[in-house]
Amino acid sequence: MTSNPTHPYSGFNVGNIETLKGAAEKLGLDLREELVKFYQKYYSADIMRLVVVGNHSLDVLTEWVTSKFSDIASKGNTKPTFEGHPVGKPELGKLIHYKTVREMYLLKLQFSLPELKSVYRENPFTYFNTLLGHRGPGSIFSVLRKNGWATAIRASSTGMYYDGFGIYEINIDATPEGLENYEAIVGIVFEYLKMLTESGPQEWLYQELSLIDKVKFDFKDKETAKDYATSLSSWGHNQYVTPQHILSHSSLLRQYDADLISKCLRYLNPNNYRLFIGAQEHKAVECKLEEKYYGIQYNIADLPSHLKSNVKYSSSLSKQLYLPDRNAFLPDNL
C-alpha cells in the first residue's frame, strides 16, 4: 500500500475473486489461461523445496519421495528476480498516519536493509531484537513505561527471508499520552541506538544470546508436522544455508562478528526509516487516502526535519539508557 508500487512486495499475499477474475477481466485476459501459463512457467523442480516429515524410516521416506516426485522436471533457472527495494529512497523519510478498527495506539519505525540471507550464521539482528525489545533497567521500554507512554515494544527483521532486500521494524504499543508524545518516543529510540553505537558490539551479550538460543533449540517443544515441514521448506530456499544447518537454520547464533554488527547498526539511522502511526482518530491529520480492498484510511506526508537527520538527542536521557546487566541465571553445565 505504501511501499514501492513497482515491487511485488507492495501487493497483498491474499486475494479474492475480485483480485483474480475481476482484475483479469479489466486487463482483457482469461483467468484460467493465465493460471495455466503461470503453472507451465514456474512449476519447476529447480525452484521447489520438498520436505517430508514422518515416523517411517529414512529408507521408506526416500523411496516414497523418489517414486512420487521424480517426474517433476526442472525447466532451468526459472526463479524470478525483482529490481529495486520495496522501501527505497522515495518511500523513506515519510510519516504515515492510518486509522485502526479497534482502539489502539501504534508506532512503527521501519528501516530499509539490504539482503541478509548470507549472514544467517551471525544473525546480527537477533542481537538488536534483544536489546531494542529489552524491558529491564536502561532499556527504551523502561523509559517509555516510566513516562506512561507505552505498554509493549518489539523489534524484528525480515532480512533472512527475502531475496534482494531486508526490512527492520521497531513496533511500540503506545498509550494515548504516548501517541501525543510520539516525537519524544522517536527521539528516545534514536538516543538508544546512539548509545549502542558508542558502546560498540558486546561479545559477552552475543555469547549469552547464543547460549539461550541453544537451550531453546535443544529443548524446544514439538511442532505439528505441517508447521515443521513448512518452516524447513521455506528455509530451504536460502541458498546460503548449508545442509548441516537446515534443521536449525537461524535458530542458533553461530559466529560473532563485531564488524558486521556495527555495519548493520549503521542502517538504523534517522535518514533511513519511515514512521507509521496507527489510531482510530488522529488530531490535526486527515486520512483522506483509502486502500481499495480493506478500506483502510491513511495519510502520507514527509517527516519533519527534526525527525530525520536533525533528530535532537536529549542529554538528560543519556543517563537513563544503557546496556543490560549480564545474566546471572544462565546455565554453565547442560
Side-chain angles (χ1 to χ4, degrees):
M1 182 174 70
T2 60
S3 58
N4 178 358
T6 67
H7 197 282
Y9 185 85
S10 65
F12 287 109
N13 59 1
V14 296
N16 55 27
I17 191 64
E18 180 185 349
T19 62
L20 288 173
K21 191 171 186 295
E25 290 175 349
K26 289 178 182 178
L27 295 171
L29 301 173
D30 179 82
L31 177 60
R32 183 183 182 282
E33 184 177 323
E34 293 304 308
L35 288 174
V36 170
K37 288 180 182 178
F38 185 90
Y39 167 81
Q40 292 174 338
K41 182 175 181 179
Y42 292 114
Y43 194 80
S44 178
D46 64 289
I47 54 174
M48 292 181 179
R49 299 295 181 268
L50 173 66
V51 174
V52 176
V53 178
N55 57 3
H56 295 81
S57 69
L58 286 177
D59 289 340
V60 171
L61 293 176
T62 301
E63 182 181 347
W64 288 349
V65 167
T66 302
S67 63
K68 300 295 183 182
F69 296 98
S70 292
D71 289 341
I72 299 177
S74 174
K75 298 171 183 176
N77 187 17
T78 60
K79 184 176 181 178
T81 57
F82 306 101
E83 298 295 326
H85 196 294
V87 186
K89 287 185 178 181
E91 291 74 41
L92 293 169
K94 300 297 182 182
L95 175 58
I96 301 166
H97 289 82
Y98 64 96
K99 288 189 175 183
T100 61
V101 176
R102 293 184 296 163
E103 184 179 358
M104 54 181 61
Y105 310 92
L106 307 173
L107 295 178
K108 176 167 71 177
L109 288 80
Q110 187 180 73
F111 298 84
S112 179
L113 301 178
E115 179 183 302
L116 296 169
K117 294 172 71 173
S118 64
V119 295
Y120 77 93
R121 294 176 179 83
E122 300 87 353
N123 207 351
F125 281 95
T126 292
Y127 177 89
F128 299 130
N129 294 349
T130 300
L131 289 169
L132 293 167
H134 182 51
R135 299 170 65 91
S139 65
I140 294 173
F141 182 74
S142 68
V143 175
L144 299 182
R145 180 172 54 185
K146 180 180 178 181
N147 286 281
W149 289 349
T151 59
I153 184 170
R154 300 168 302 281
S156 62
S157 164
T158 61
M160 295 294 171
Y161 301 97
Y162 296 122
D163 287 333
F165 72 94
I167 292 174
Y168 193 74
E169 295 181 346
I170 302 173
N171 288 277
I172 298 169
D173 294 348
T175 62
E177 295 76 16
L179 206 68
E180 292 181 2
N181 290 278
Y182 76 87
E183 292 188 357
I185 292 177
V186 171
I188 290 169
V189 170
F190 283 113
E191 175 69 19
Y192 190 84
L193 291 169
K194 176 172 173 279
M195 180 275 295
L196 293 183
T197 300
E198 294 174 347
S199 301
Q202 305 292 311
E203 184 173 5
W204 66 266
L205 176 58
Y206 186 92
Q207 298 305 339
E208 281 192 354
L209 299 177
S210 177
L211 177 57
I212 291 171
D213 283 350
K214 186 176 187 307
V215 172
K216 287 180 179 179
F217 181 75
D218 289 345
F219 299 97
K220 67 180 295 188
D221 294 332
K222 285 187 176 181
E223 301 176 60
T224 64
K226 184 182 78 169
D227 289 344
Y228 191 46
T230 300
S231 172
L232 293 183
S233 63
S234 296
W235 271 101
H237 283 280
N238 184 340
Q239 68 271 31
Y240 300 102
V241 176
T242 58
Q244 63 266 35
H245 292 161
I246 193 67
L247 295 182
S248 57
H249 45 83
S250 67
S251 298
L252 300 178
L253 296 176
R254 298 178 173 86
Q255 190 170 309
Y256 174 72
D257 188 329
D259 291 339
L260 179 62
I261 290 174
S262 296
K263 178 181 178 181
C264 290
L265 182 57
R266 289 195 286 272
Y267 287 104
L268 308 184
N269 72 76
N271 289 308
N272 189 46
Y273 85 109
R274 56 183 182 164
L275 179 63
F276 291 81
I277 302 178
Q280 281 185 320
E281 297 295 334
H282 296 276
K283 295 181 180 179
V285 175
E286 290 188 69
C287 295
K288 294 183 177 180
L289 301 175
E290 184 172 306
E291 192 281 319
K292 66 178 181 179
Y293 295 114
Y294 289 92
I296 299 172
Q297 294 177 299
Y298 64 101
N299 180 72
I300 302 178
D302 291 333
L303 275 169
S305 61
H306 61 275
L307 291 181
K308 294 193 290 186
S309 57
N310 297 323
V311 172
K312 294 181 179 179
Y313 301 114
S314 171
S315 58
S316 63
L317 282 175
S318 60
K319 296 181 180 179
Q320 300 180 48
L321 298 169
Y322 47 86
L323 293 168
D325 292 331
R326 294 174 185 262
N327 191 337
F329 300 99
L330 290 178
D332 54 16
N333 184 16
L334 294 176

